[in-house]
Amino acid sequence: MASVITSVVTATVTAKPTTTSATSRAASQGGILEGLNPSKYDPKNPLILFIIQAGIIIIFCRILHFPLSKLRQPRVIAEIIGGILLGPSVFGRIPGFTDAIFPTASMPTLTLAANLGLVLFLFLVGLEVDLRLLLSNWRVALSVGAAGMALPFGLGCAIAYGLYQQFRNDPSLVPIGFGTYMLFVGVAMAITAFPVLCRILTELKLLQTQVGIVVLSAGVGNDVVGWILLALCVALVNAGDGIVALYVLLTCVAYILFLVYAVRPVFLSLLKRSGSIQYGPTQTVVALTVLMMLASAFFTGIIGVHPIFGAFLVGLICPHDGGFAIKLTEKIEDLVSVFFLPLYFALSGLSTNIGLLDSGITWAYVFGVIAVAFVGKFVGGTVAARLCKLVWRESFTIGVLMSCKGLVELIVLNIGYQAKILSQRTFTIFVVMALVTTFATTPLTSALYPPWYQKKIAAWKRGEIDWDGNSLARDATSSEQGDGALEKYNGTEFRKLLVYLRLESLPSLFTFVALLGGDRTGNTLGKTHPQKAREAVDQSSHMATSDALSRRKKPLAVHGLRMLELTERQSSVMKESDLDDYHVRDPVVNAFHTFGQLSNVAISGEVQVVPEGSYAEILKESASEHGSDMVLLPWSETGRLSEAGNTLLLDPAQNTFTSGPHNHFVATFLAHAPCSTAIFVNKGFGQAKKPELLHRVATTLSLRSTTGPPTAPIMDRSHHVFFPFFGGPDDRVALRFVLRLAQNPNVTATIVNIQSLSNSTEYPDSSITPRALHSVSPSFAKEATAQAFPEPSSDQENAFFVTIKDSLPHDLEPRVVFSTINTESPLHDTLEWARREMELPTQNAGNIVVVGRDVRTGGRRGIRTELEALRAAGGASTGVERSLGAVAEAVINGNIKASVLVVQAGGRELEG
């Protein structure tokens, strides 16, 4: 027995080395630490090389887009050029580059990711297409869209004959008839890139013009018809038999009807029941929609049509009501545009070889294809637009815009290349055409339809000017403005106010605009129950009511403008194209409308989606369009120009005046403001005093523990205004505005005329100082300043101040105090006086220090010297003077418990 055991153990030990041979060892896990090359393709682990490929493609496209964006080119241009450079045309000529980075064995993985992204992108294109726009403008859409497709389609069929005869013997082509080839080339010539077109129209601010509406309406129809024709072409190629192609086409028609009349009603009912239309799609709804998209793509793929058509159809049936399509796009778009689309265009570039354009006849066809694509679209769109009674320059612009190809053309070409309708040579010819036509769209449109011409044509169509630019409407205000307009008080001067609406500034804006709206108590009429009013209707009371209504003061007209940033996201463009609905849904504008109804203020509002760099220009255009007397511009309370992001997580201790973009925006607008402007820097205006709590750092984990005690109501709703008058146009307008605020019975004001002494270092009467004047009665203060101080050096400013003081209405005298001081330290004494003024009413609804901007005069009367001294002493920070002026910077950083209003004169105020 022992010998048997010994023999078994010996045999086992002897056999052990053979079971651990090198061929059965586990794969190495050390990676580069064991000397492995990560760029070497491993079929069992393709992710590593895929990450390298995706990283190179994304970084390369982003780098290319930076200089091209300065030329206002869409991102697709950078992605097309990046793909061409990474392909065999440029980098592919580097020995070993393609084999190391894009080996043939790794292409299936890259192709799978790119095609999945393409399916998602066509779903987003379907979401972006709003068929309501097509239905509401069907006449012009039908004419411009039909002409914009028919002519280039016919010319494409003509040049297709030459292409077919010249290049049909190229390698890797399937044997197809000329009819199918002609259909595909015609579709490639007739297609318009709707997503890129929307982006260009938005960036050029044409989306809401007649040109933009015509182009979008025609583009929607063009897009839908083009995809249908392309589906037919692919079905003909894949079927191989005419009867099978007919079956495929009939199946597609039946499937479209099934989606529209069976799937869409059930989907809409589910969205309404889940509240996804009102409040945005839930995660379950997003998952359901993505599954519908994948199922539709699967079905259209297995019946012989490309899967992208199924995804496009599901996007079309998604509703636009309540902004559902926009909110759903926001959930998906970033991953598609940042990750998937660059991969797809890189694949297009890898299939593009400029080196194949190596003969004169080939380049002749390159120029011929470009000419046919552009001329066909340009002439067709121009003639149709002219027949719709647009002027020639508008018609030319529409023709240029309809010639845009962009990424949709690349998708069409890739489908033709994958179906082996196009050879690599003809594919490259059409890629060059798509690149040239897309690149030329923006500069040609800017040249044909510049902003000055847009304003001229809009005014001409409104009947305000003739074709030569001469005004046809009498300027009623010009005859009313005399030479002494700036020297008399006019309480009705500020009747049209433009307010820049920001979410975080709404409470203070509401309070401020309510003060300008005047006293509402006198306009409130006694009400009677409707039933009792019907029982006893007295004619005299009816006449009295009508008389009371006729005596009501004309309300202040305020227009609110909210600007949202136009980003590179597709949803941002969709907001701009859907502005009519967005005006109704925007919560900030809706809150502003409700406030106006309760505050005796005539309110209107709008939303604009524009790039941050255009904020100042849009604000200027809105002020001019509405004939505003003043623009109220709140300073950003978050320190940022954009409202994007979570404001709850901002550090309350950060300096909001160091934001470069916001400072630039304010300074740019003030430099070109068409009317007077008031910049409001809020420091708790209209808000109850909050108890001081322990300082906590706001994080996502501590938000729920920051609740404090309930806010008590404001018992004293009064406001106190302090205004130092230094002279100049800004201060004159500011003085008028202070008196306009003082018409509200809850407002008191102290107005101090600051005069600078040139040869004295103390007050003429040492017993009368700013502190002493503050402690005495207003009447004594007026007499003391008139007796103790010499006459101001500027007779004009002194006459203006005296005229305003003498013409003060009797009902304002109890609430407004005028004073005059002479000092060699005007800025220092202004700060001291402001601190004392603001310390008195400590429990009211907020105080304001009003100052003139006075930047154009360079800071008069030694103020700049004093400001530099304060900066040296650490009492004021730099960065605000360029935007708000020297006095404003000193007041903002002067530890004064009040909000600040900086006023700049503009428009007709500067003419006086």
Side-chain angles (χ1 to χ4, degrees):
M1 184 68 182
S3 61
V4 174
I5 296 175
T6 302
S7 62
V8 170
V9 172
T10 303
T12 303
V13 173
T14 306
K16 185 175 181 180
T18 62
T19 61
T20 59
S21 62
T23 58
S24 61
R25 288 181 59 193
S28 174
Q29 300 297 318
I32 59 174
L33 299 180
E34 292 186 359
L36 296 180
N37 183 5
S39 65
K40 183 178 181 180
Y41 178 70
D42 183 4
K44 297 180 180 179
N45 187 20
L47 180 61
I48 300 300
L49 183 58
F50 176 77
I51 292 175
I52 295 175
Q53 294 170 341
I56 292 175
I57 293 170
I58 294 173
I59 293 173
F60 198 62
C61 291
R62 290 277 166 174
I63 293 175
L64 284 175
H65 178 63
F66 179 74
L68 290 172
S69 64
K70 305 301 180 182
L71 302 176
R72 308 182 76 172
Q73 292 296 327
R75 183 176 296 278
V76 62
I77 294 293
E79 292 170 343
I80 295 175
I81 296 177
I84 293 175
L85 294 179
L86 290 173
S89 300
V90 181
F91 281 87
R93 297 180 180 273
I94 300 175
F97 177 82
T98 301
D99 294 335
I101 305 300
F102 299 104
T104 305
S106 69
M107 297 313 293
T109 303
L110 188 62
T111 303
L112 176 63
N115 285 330
L116 177 60
L118 182 63
V119 170
L120 289 169
F121 175 72
L122 262 294
F123 170 68
L124 294 179
V125 172
L127 284 175
E128 189 174 5
V129 174
D130 190 354
L131 294 178
R132 297 175 300 179
L133 184 64
L134 177 63
L135 296 176
S136 60
N137 302 277
W138 68 271
R139 291 182 183 273
V140 66
L142 182 62
S143 58
V144 176
M149 287 199 72
L151 184 58
F153 185 86
L155 294 177
C157 292
I159 200 173
Y161 180 79
L163 290 170
Y164 183 77
Q165 297 296 330
Q166 182 69 32
F167 303 112
R168 65 178 176 176
N169 295 323
D170 284 355
S172 73
L173 289 179
V174 296
I176 59 173
F178 173 70
T180 303
Y181 188 85
M182 179 184 68
L183 177 62
F184 178 84
V185 173
V187 171
M189 293 295 186
I191 202 76
T192 295
F194 183 76
V196 178
L197 197 59
C198 287
R199 166 63 59 179
I200 293 175
L201 289 172
T202 303
E203 292 186 350
L204 296 180
K205 295 183 288 186
L206 296 177
L207 208 55
Q208 302 302 318
T209 64
Q210 187 174 10
V211 168
I213 293 173
V214 170
V215 169
L216 278 189
S217 303
V220 169
N222 196 314
D223 220 26
V224 174
V225 174
W227 288 119
I228 293 175
L229 292 176
L230 185 61
L232 175 61
C233 183
V234 174
L236 288 172
V237 174
N238 293 337
D241 187 4
I243 189 66
V244 175
L246 179 61
Y247 288 155
V248 171
L249 180 61
L250 293 177
T251 304
C252 286
V253 173
Y255 180 63
I256 292 173
L257 295 176
F258 171 73
L259 285 177
V260 174
Y261 294 104
V263 176
R264 190 173 189 272
V266 177
F267 186 53
L268 285 177
S269 176
L270 178 63
L271 294 180
K272 292 178 181 178
R273 291 177 57 185
S274 64
S276 296
I277 291 182
Q278 295 86 351
Y279 310 109
T282 62
Q283 191 178 59
T284 302
V285 169
V286 173
L288 176 63
T289 309
V290 171
L291 288 175
M292 289 171 53
M293 175 201 68
L294 294 176
S296 182
F298 170 77
F299 180 78
T300 55
I302 63 174
I303 65 173
V305 184
H306 202 284
I308 64 174
F309 299 106
F312 177 74
L313 291 174
V314 172
L316 279 181
I317 67 172
C318 289
H320 286 252
D321 302 334
F324 174 81
I326 297 176
K327 296 170 185 175
L328 183 59
T329 302
E330 291 174 341
K331 306 283 186 182
I332 306 173
E333 60 181 340
D334 281 351
L335 184 62
V336 175
S337 61
V338 172
F339 182 72
F340 284 115
L341 275 186
L343 300 184
Y344 185 79
F345 289 115
L347 279 179
S348 301
L350 293 175
S351 303
T352 304
N353 189 355
I354 303 296
L356 295 177
L357 308 179
D358 54 359
S359 64
I361 188 65
T362 304
W363 276 106
Y365 275 108
V366 170
F367 292 115
V369 168
I370 294 174
V372 166
F374 180 78
V375 172
K377 281 288 188 179
F378 179 76
V379 174
T382 299
V383 173
R386 181 58 181 168
L387 293 177
C388 291
K389 299 182 179 180
L390 277 76
V391 300
W392 276 114
R393 201 157 182 172
E394 289 179 318
S395 303
F396 290 148
T397 306
I398 290 173
V400 169
L401 288 168
M402 293 298 292
S403 68
C404 180
K405 299 295 183 184
L407 51 86
V408 174
E409 180 74 11
L410 264 292
I411 295 172
V412 172
L413 296 179
N414 274 282
I415 292 175
Y417 184 71
Q418 293 169 4
K420 298 184 179 180
I421 301 174
L422 300 177
S423 66
Q424 190 175 22
R425 190 192 308 268
T426 51
F427 177 81
T428 302
I429 291 175
F430 279 92
V431 168
V432 173
M433 178 270 292
L435 185 62
V436 172
T437 54
T438 306
F439 191 91
T441 302
T442 298
L444 287 178
T445 303
S446 300
L448 286 171
Y449 208 59
W452 67 265
Y453 186 80
Q454 298 173 32
K455 297 177 182 177
K456 173 186 174 181
I457 199 69
W460 177 72
K461 290 183 178 181
R462 290 194 300 263
E464 298 175 0
I465 61 173
D466 60 16
W467 187 249
D468 295 327
N470 301 317
S471 178
L472 299 178
R474 290 188 61 187
D475 188 4
T477 59
S478 60
S479 61
E480 298 173 0
Q481 300 297 327
D483 295 336
L486 291 176
E487 298 178 0
K488 295 182 180 180
Y489 169 73
N490 183 2
T492 61
E493 181 180 357
F494 301 103
R495 281 299 179 191
K496 294 183 179 180
L497 183 67
L498 175 65
V499 180
Y500 171 37
L501 298 177
R502 292 184 61 92
L503 179 61
E504 76 275 5
S505 303
L506 282 185
S508 57
L509 287 177
F510 286 172
T511 304
F512 193 86
V513 174
L515 294 180
L516 294 172
D519 184 18
R520 299 187 299 272
T521 58
N523 293 335
T524 303
L525 300 177
K527 299 298 180 182
T528 306
H529 192 280
Q531 183 176 355
K532 294 183 178 181
R534 286 193 299 266
E535 295 174 355
V537 178
D538 189 358
Q539 182 67 21
S540 61
S541 63
H542 175 73
M543 295 178 61
T545 301
S546 300
D547 184 62
L549 288 173
S550 64
R551 290 196 304 267
R552 284 187 179 183
K553 182 186 296 185
K554 183 180 179 181
L556 176 72
V558 181
H559 181 75
L561 173 63
R562 188 179 189 210
M563 291 185 287
L564 302 178
E565 181 187 3
L566 176 64
T567 64
E568 296 179 349
R569 292 182 171 90
Q570 186 175 342
S571 59
S572 182
V573 179
M574 293 172 67
K575 291 178 183 178
E576 170 69 14
S577 60
D578 200 22
L579 273 184
D580 291 339
D581 290 341
Y582 209 77
H583 292 327
V584 180
R585 299 193 309 268
D586 186 72
V588 174
V589 174
N590 286 337
F592 196 57
H593 277 289
T594 303
F595 155 76
Q597 293 175 347
L598 301 175
S599 304
N600 190 37
V601 179
I603 290 291
S604 60
E606 64 173 320
V607 180
Q608 292 281 357
V609 183
V610 295
E612 279 193 356
S614 301
Y615 274 24
E617 180 65 22
I618 294 298
L619 193 62
K620 171 190 171 184
E621 292 178 358
S622 182
S624 300
E625 179 181 350
H626 292 88
S628 303
D629 298 315
M630 175 166 281
V631 175
L632 180 58
L633 188 64
W635 192 270
S636 172
E637 297 182 20
T638 62
R640 299 185 301 189
L641 181 56
S642 172
E643 295 185 57
N646 187 0
T647 57
L648 297 177
L649 300 180
L650 295 176
D651 184 5
Q654 73 175 10
N655 188 351
T656 61
F657 300 101
T658 58
S659 172
H662 191 270
N663 282 331
H664 178 73
F665 157 64
V666 173
T668 302
F669 174 73
L670 291 176
H672 305 91
C675 62
S676 298
T677 306
I679 301 97
F680 186 68
V681 181
N682 179 40
K683 293 185 179 180
F685 187 74
Q687 302 174 8
K689 299 297 186 294
K690 297 180 180 180
E692 295 185 3
L693 303 175
L694 293 176
H695 177 70
R696 296 178 178 179
V697 178
T699 66
T700 54
L701 299 178
S702 64
L703 288 179
R704 294 183 179 273
S705 61
T706 56
T707 56
T711 303
I714 300 176
M715 304 304 296
D716 183 4
R717 298 183 179 274
S718 66
H719 304 272
H720 187 60
V721 179
F722 172 72
F723 172 53
F725 179 81
F726 292 91
D730 295 345
D731 280 30
R732 291 197 293 267
V733 174
L735 178 54
R736 290 176 178 276
F737 196 71
V738 169
L739 296 179
R740 179 66 177 84
L741 287 172
Q743 291 184 27
N744 192 295
N746 291 322
V747 175
T748 59
T750 300
I751 303 172
V752 181
N753 186 12
I754 308 295
Q755 297 294 330
S756 177
L757 289 174
S758 57
N759 298 318
S760 176
T761 58
E762 58 183 2
Y763 291 98
D765 187 347
S766 59
S767 64
I768 303 179
T769 64
R771 185 180 300 275
L773 286 176
H774 182 80
S775 62
V776 300
S777 64
S779 59
F780 177 78
K782 294 180 183 179
E783 296 175 359
T785 54
Q787 296 175 2
F789 299 142
E791 292 292 324
S793 59
S794 174
D795 295 336
Q796 181 183 1
E797 303 297 346
N798 181 58
F800 174 82
F801 189 83
V802 172
T803 302
I804 291 292
K805 180 176 66 173
D806 293 342
S807 61
L808 187 71
H810 294 292
D811 57 338
L812 297 186
E813 288 185 353
R815 301 194 304 274
V816 179
V817 172
F818 287 89
S819 300
T820 301
I821 64 170
N822 272 32
T823 175
E824 284 196 346
S825 303
L827 187 59
H828 176 270
D829 287 347
T830 297
L831 297 179
E832 289 295 326
W833 197 309
R835 293 189 186 100
R836 290 192 297 271
E837 288 283 339
M838 298 300 108
E839 287 175 357
L840 290 181
T842 57
Q843 300 299 323
N844 64 354
N847 303 319
I848 309 176
V849 175
V850 180
V851 297
R853 184 169 179 250
D854 200 26
V855 170
R856 286 164 294 197
T857 59
R860 304 189 308 172
R861 306 189 182 186
I863 292 178
R864 185 180 298 274
T865 304
E866 287 191 75
L867 179 62
E868 293 176 354
L870 289 175
R871 289 173 178 172
S877 61
T878 60
V880 183
E881 182 186 2
R882 177 175 175 268
S883 301
L884 303 181
V887 178
E889 178 176 341
V891 172
I892 290 172
N893 296 282
N895 194 25
I896 298 173
K897 300 178 181 178
S899 300
V900 181
L901 186 74
V902 184
V903 179
Q904 173 181 287
R908 66 174 184 270
E909 301 293 347
L910 292 177
E911 298 174 2

